[in-house]
């Protein structure tokens, strides 16, 4: 969304907080607003969102409420994985230590957090987010203490993932797994962070062309989350991942790729990914 974003500080900031706010504004080319002990709303003014740097971190404030970077629903998923249970993302992508993952719809980074733990410190997770506020929150959040020890670092890029995929394909660059989850507009999204983040979502519908771009750079799987199957999914190579409670997980092999598993061999499930952790 093309809305102005400004930066300010907590009401009575220390010199360190003030310097961090200035550095944040400089990094992202944003305007720094001095609060003069006034309200956050006054600092926001006519801007759509104000990023408030405090001693405890970064908060995005809009007319709808406050948004911070936190684990959200990923916390429950990570606990399940640590206890040897399944996760549909790990299962669909057959994630294993050392994998390279590209999350093309990063949002609040829930899937990226799960992927980062599954691929471990020898792996790589990159995320692309089209909305500036979400990209900033994710960048700051992933640079902090939220990613669990033993997880891959998550690199965040602000931009249009379709262009990123096209550029990768042109360079012949590949990644093991591509994640595509344009579900932020889904009103059934469950946690409070999703509801507020929806204000910042760049609405990009899932299309066959987007899936095709992802298949051009994936080595193993393109994993798609969608609220329902679309008529064009079979032609795009997308098959539903069976055995998931929601039925919203789909995946496609790379362009021209056959299933590399020997006949009768089951996909590498989450147990295979977690057994080596």
């Amino acid at each position: 969304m093309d809305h102005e974003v400004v930066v300010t500080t907590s009401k009575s900031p220390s010199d360190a907080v003030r310097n961090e706010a200035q550095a944040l504004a400089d990094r992202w080319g944003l305007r720094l607003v001095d609060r003069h002990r006034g309200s956050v709303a006054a600092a926001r003014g006519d801007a759509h969102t104000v990023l408030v740097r405090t001693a405890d971190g970064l908060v995005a404030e809009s007319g709808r409420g406050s948004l911070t970077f936190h684990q959200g629903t990923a916390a429950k998923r990570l606990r399940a994985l640590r206890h040897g249970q399944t996760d549909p993302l790990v299962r669909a992508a057959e994630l294993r230590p050392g994998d390279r993952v590209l999350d093309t719809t990063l949002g609040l980074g829930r899937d990226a957090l799960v992927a980062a733990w599954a691929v471990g410190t020898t792996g790589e997770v990159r995320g692309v987010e089209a909305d500036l506020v979400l990209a900033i929150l994710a960048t700051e959040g992933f640079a902090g203490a939220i990613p669990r020890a033993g997880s891959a670092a998550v690199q965040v890029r602000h931009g249009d993932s379709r262009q990123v995929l096209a550029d990768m394909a042109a360079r012949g660059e590949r990644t093991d797994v591509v994640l595509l989850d344009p579900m932020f507009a889904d009103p059934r999204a469950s946690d409070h962070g999703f509801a507020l983040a929806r204000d910042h979502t760049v609405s990009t519908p899932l299309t066959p062309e987007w899936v095709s771009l992802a298949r051009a750079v994936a080595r193993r799987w393109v994993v798609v989350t969608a609220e329902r199957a679309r008529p064009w999914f079979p032609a795009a190579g997308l098959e539903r991942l069976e055995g998931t409670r929601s039925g919203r997980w789909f995946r496609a092999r790379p362009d021209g790729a056959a299933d590399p598993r020997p006949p009768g061999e089951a996909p590498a499930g989450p147990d295979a990914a977690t057994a080596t952790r």
Side-chain angles (χ1 to χ4, degrees), residues 38-188:
S39 67
V40 170
R44 179 164 56 89
D46 294 330
H48 181 268
T49 305
V50 57
L51 295 168
V52 185
R53 171 61 77 181
T54 73
D56 296 323
L58 188 64
V59 182
E61 297 268 3
S62 69
R64 292 279 300 273
S66 303
L67 184 64
T68 60
F69 183 87
H70 56 89
Q71 291 188 59
T73 53
K76 181 178 180 180
R77 295 167 64 187
L78 288 168
R79 282 196 301 271
L81 283 170
R82 291 196 298 273
H83 286 88
Q85 299 176 30
T86 63
D87 183 87
L89 168 60
V90 178
R91 180 173 160 227
E94 300 178 10
L95 291 179
R96 62 200 69 165
D99 276 350
R100 300 176 65 211
V101 178
L102 176 64
D103 187 342
T104 64
T105 48
L106 182 65
L108 292 171
R110 309 296 201 243
D111 285 340
L113 280 167
V114 173
W117 189 85
V119 305
T121 55
T122 60
E124 174 186 280
V125 178
R126 292 179 291 166
V128 184
E129 174 50 50
D131 179 78
L132 178 61
V133 171
L134 295 181
I136 293 173
L137 287 175
T139 299
E140 298 295 309
F142 281 120
I146 283 183
R148 188 175 179 84
S151 296
V154 179
Q155 305 165 39
V156 181
R157 176 173 174 176
H158 174 231
D160 186 333
S161 66
R162 294 166 298 181
Q163 187 60 55
V164 171
L165 290 167
D167 291 345
M168 289 176 64
R171 294 192 301 268
E173 183 181 351
R174 307 294 293 273
T175 189
D176 294 305
V177 174
V178 177
L179 309 181
L180 213 170
D181 178 11
M183 278 183 58
F184 267 110
D186 185 347
R188 292 173 292 178

